[in-house]
Amino acid sequence: DAGVIQSPRHEVTEMGQEVTLRCKPISGHNSLFWYRQTMMRGLELLIYFNNNVPIDDSGMPEDRFSAKMPNASFSTLKIQPSEPRDSAVYFCASSLELWGELFFGEGSRLTVL
Amino acid sequence: DQQVKQNSPSLSVQEGRISILNCDYTNSMFDYFLWYKKYPAEGPTFLISISSIKDKNEDGRFTVFLNKSAKHLSLHIVPSQPGDSAVYFCAASGGGNTPLVFGKGTRLSVIA
C-alpha cells in the first residue's frame, strides 16, 4: 500500500509568492496532520484534521498560512504571501486515530528567497 | 512551552557500544510514548512505543524505558550500528482527542 504522498518534494520561490503544498494520506486513515521541521523548533504541529474537519489550527504561525482538506484523500497547505522565514521542511502525516501512530510523508522542502 | 523535551541535540557513540537517548515530559496526562527515527531527506518513521502501564518495552536492539514518577523516558540501542545514525524524536500523547507532541529531536552519530 502506498504511504503518505507529498508534492512537491522541493520548492524554491521568491518572497511574496504563493506556495501550495499537497498531501495524499494513506487510504482509510481518519486523521491528517501538517508539521513543519526547523532546526530551532524541531517538529512543530501546524494543524490537524479528523474526518476532513479541521480540529486545531492554533499551531499555524500566521494568517498567511491556511490549510484545507476537501476530501478524505487530499489536503493542501497554502502560504500566501511567502517569506524567507517560512523556509523549512513541511511534513504531512496521517493516522487511523488522533493518538495513534503517525505515518509521515517524505516532506516538502521549501526555500523562500 | 515545550511539553516534550530532548535536551541533547546530538550524541556521538562508537559502533558496538550502547546509545542512550533521553526524553523528559511535563504533562502528567501523557500516557502513550513513541520514538521516531528520521534519516535525511526522508520523513520520520515509527520505531518503538510504550504505554504508561509498562515501564519497559523491547524490540530487538531497541528498548524504551519509562519512569513515570520522574516523567522521563529513554531509548537504548544495543549494540549501536552505523545505520542507526539519524535524528530520533520522542513523542507523547494523552489519548482521546489529543495528537502527538514531539520533542526537538536528538541527532545520533554512530562512528565506525
Side-chain angles (χ1 to χ4, degrees):
Chain A
D1 188 18
V4 175
I5 299 171
Q6 290 187 246
S7 64
R9 290 296 311 278
H10 302 275
E11 174 90 8
V12 180
T13 190
E14 291 188 345
M15 183 173 66
Q17 295 298 306
E18 177 180 297
V19 172
T20 299
L21 307 178
R22 297 172 177 80
C23 175
K24 176 178 168 54
I26 292 174
S27 177
H29 281 192
N30 296 319
S31 301
L32 182 140
F33 305 79
W34 283 100
Y35 283 88
R36 177 170 70 174
Q37 184 191 12
T38 61
M39 291 291 291
M40 290 297 295
R41 302 174 74 93
L43 270 174
E44 184 184 12
L45 178 62
L46 302 178
I47 185 172
Y48 63 97
F49 297 81
N50 195 41
N51 294 320
N52 311 339
V53 176
I55 302 300
D56 186 349
D57 66 354
S58 60
M60 298 284 257
E62 298 173 35
D63 291 345
R64 299 183 294 107
F65 286 70
S66 63
K68 292 182 180 179
M69 191 165 186
N71 57 64
S73 58
F74 184 66
S75 176
T76 59
L77 177 68
K78 187 174 292 187
I79 308 171
Q80 166 64 16
S82 58
E83 295 183 4
R85 60 191 165 130
D86 302 331
S87 298
V89 181
Y90 291 80
F91 288 102
C92 176
S94 68
S95 67
L96 281 170
E97 296 168 298
L98 275 175
W99 52 265
E101 178 187 342
L102 290 181
F103 293 81
F104 284 84
E106 293 185 313
S108 294
R109 179 175 294 277
L110 173 64
T111 302
V112 183
L113 303 174
Chain B
D1 184 31
Q2 282 254 304
Q3 296 187 69
V4 177
K5 299 177 184 179
Q6 295 178 256
N7 291 320
S8 298
S10 62
L11 175 68
S12 238
V13 172
Q14 276 197 318
E15 180 179 7
R17 306 295 290 268
I18 184 171
S19 295
I20 300 177
L21 295 92
N22 293 305
C23 178
D24 297 294
Y25 61 96
T26 57
N27 189 339
S28 57
M29 298 301 292
F30 286 151
D31 60 3
Y32 185 58
F33 305 89
L34 304 87
W35 286 92
Y36 279 77
K37 178 178 180 178
K38 184 187 177 304
Y39 291 119
E42 295 183 10
T45 55
F46 170 74
L47 183 60
I48 191 169
S49 66
I50 189 167
S51 75
S52 59
I53 61 173
K54 292 185 172 183
D55 55 17
K56 177 183 173 181
N57 188 27
E58 191 172 353
D59 183 3
R61 296 185 297 115
F62 302 90
T63 303
V64 56
F65 295 92
L66 175 62
N67 182 334
K68 290 188 293 292
S69 60
K71 294 191 178 70
H72 176 84
L73 64 155
S74 60
L75 174 68
H76 293 211
I77 307 173
V78 183
S80 302
Q81 299 174 353
D84 297 328
S85 297
V87 176
Y88 290 80
F89 290 97
C90 173
S93 173
N97 290 325
T98 59
L100 292 179
V101 177
F102 284 84
K104 290 186 179 182
T106 297
R107 181 178 300 278
L108 172 67
S109 299
V110 180
I111 303 162

